[in-house]
Amino acid sequence: MAGVYDGVGREELWYAVKARDLSLIRTLRSKNVCIDQFSAHGEYPLGYAARRGFDDMVECLLDLGSQHINGPRFCRSPLEYAIMGHHTKTIRLLIKRGASIHKVNQRGETLYTFALEHGTAEILDLLVVLGFQSHPIAPIYGSSSLIILALAAS
């Protein structure tokens, strides 16, 4: 299989990702084009699709074996991108497909603390419903302050 950084099929891959052309993505994958190649701007396909709420593309990339379910090193995760775009359906899909709800990013933020800054009250509630149980703010500020912080994020 082509490597992540070798550029084989990169232009075609990114054309297909941006056009949401699932058929072309599948064709490229069948020709051993790596579906995790970064764009010239440092984006990766699964993160790009999650940021825009392209659930069909997210599903296709995961079905075809994308290795970036929890994000490549030094990049935001697909879940973080979905939170930033307020795409609750994409968040559900990524978690259902195995994205870690308990991962800590390179800035030391949990998904919940990231969502406090970038998400909505609906997303914070969704994370709790989907299994997020531990957040570092409650012991420091107490649960009442946590509710106020969550409301301020919306």
Side-chain angles (χ1 to χ4, degrees):
M1 177 169 65
V4 174
Y5 301 103
D6 66 8
V8 174
R10 185 169 72 182
E11 287 184 31
E12 296 88 349
L13 171 70
W14 278 95
Y15 169 81
V17 169
K18 289 178 180 180
R20 293 177 75 174
D21 189 337
L22 304 181
S23 177
L24 181 54
I25 291 280
R26 289 184 186 100
T27 299
L28 291 168
R29 184 67 183 102
S30 71
K31 294 179 179 178
N32 290 326
V33 170
C34 178
I35 58 169
D36 286 329
Q37 292 190 69
F38 288 84
S39 72
H41 304 290
E43 296 181 286
Y44 61 101
L46 188 57
Y48 181 93
R51 185 161 45 116
R52 286 160 179 77
F54 294 169
D55 296 328
D56 53 350
M57 181 63 69
V58 168
E59 191 82 50
C60 178
L61 290 166
L62 291 172
D63 287 346
L64 295 174
S66 174
Q67 299 298 303
H68 290 159
I69 186 75
N70 289 308
R73 191 173 179 172
F74 305 117
C75 292
R76 295 200 186 278
S77 73
L79 275 174
E80 288 174 313
Y81 281 130
I83 288 169
M84 290 171 68
H86 304 166
H87 302 299
T88 55
K89 186 176 174 189
T90 308
I91 293 167
R92 286 181 186 275
L93 171 62
L94 288 164
I95 292 170
K96 178 183 172 188
R97 294 295 301 265
S100 174
I101 198 167
H102 298 289
K103 181 180 180 229
V104 175
N105 66 21
Q106 72 247 20
R107 294 168 299 285
E109 301 169 311
T110 66
L111 203 56
Y112 197 88
T113 55
F114 182 85
L116 279 170
E117 183 177 347
H118 300 284
T120 63
E122 179 184 10
I123 289 172
L124 293 169
D125 289 343
L126 177 63
L127 291 175
V128 172
V129 167
L130 294 175
F132 193 89
Q133 298 173 357
S134 170
H135 40 79
I137 295 173
I140 298 169
Y141 300 105
S143 59
S144 298
S145 295
L146 181 62
I147 292 168
I148 292 168
L149 285 170
L151 292 173
S154 61

